[in-house]
Amino acid sequence: MDAVLRRKPLRFGTSETEVAEALQVSWSHRRGGPYAQEDLADGVKVFYGQGKPACVAMDAVTGPQVFLAGFALAGRDPEKACQYLLDHAAEHGNWSAYTLDESLAPTDQGLLLRVQQIGDVLLSRPFLVM
């Protein structure tokens, strides 16, 4: 999966400072909860578990694009994006699962595809997970 944000790759297990450096942004808002959450500029949210990145979520409209084998995953028709992921998994002999909120999670990609409502339209929203 080509998941390069800005100019540097974002790696799980890095510190919050290294995440900000890789994304070339400063923190805009921090929230508490089971996972600490940073709302970054440009439609990116980083969720931390034990002080390390556990999930990076891209906004369907304002976030950076994420590609899988050349297919853009953010801001797509959710049915088409899910079908692409299912076809990709089948083609490569991999599995996919649905979460309790009906998000699609190809088990080999470190990816979760959620849906984001923008007005009356639903768009795909990729999450990169550990």
Side-chain angles (χ1 to χ4, degrees):
M1 175 176 10
D2 300 322
V4 178
L5 304 175
R6 298 289 183 181
R7 294 186 180 135
K8 296 181 181 181
L10 180 61
R11 303 202 188 284
F12 290 106
T14 59
S15 70
E16 294 177 22
T17 302
E18 291 168 316
V19 171
E21 184 180 293
L23 295 174
Q24 297 178 346
V25 297
S26 59
W27 304 123
S28 60
H29 182 70
R30 169 165 261 196
R31 296 184 191 170
Y35 290 96
Q37 175 183 332
E38 298 286 352
D39 294 344
L40 306 174
D42 299 329
V44 176
K45 292 180 189 273
V46 180
F47 298 88
Y48 294 87
Q50 300 177 352
K52 303 288 183 186
C55 175
V56 178
M58 274 44 91
D59 186 270
V61 176
T62 62
Q65 188 56 267
V66 175
F67 295 89
L68 176 62
F71 184 86
L73 294 172
R76 302 292 296 251
D77 174 298
E79 289 183 26
K80 290 180 182 176
C82 284
Q83 190 59 56
Y84 177 82
L85 290 178
L86 291 170
D87 292 345
H88 185 273
E91 181 180 323
H92 292 88
N94 299 318
W95 295 88
S96 293
Y98 284 94
T99 64
L100 294 175
D101 68 356
E102 299 182 9
S103 299
L104 180 62
T107 57
D108 65 320
Q109 297 295 325
L111 174 68
L112 179 68
L113 194 64
R114 300 193 77 184
V115 174
Q116 182 176 342
Q117 186 162 355
I118 306 295
D120 293 336
V121 178
L122 295 177
L123 297 173
S124 59
R125 181 181 187 197
F127 282 53
L128 304 177
V129 295
M130 276 184 62

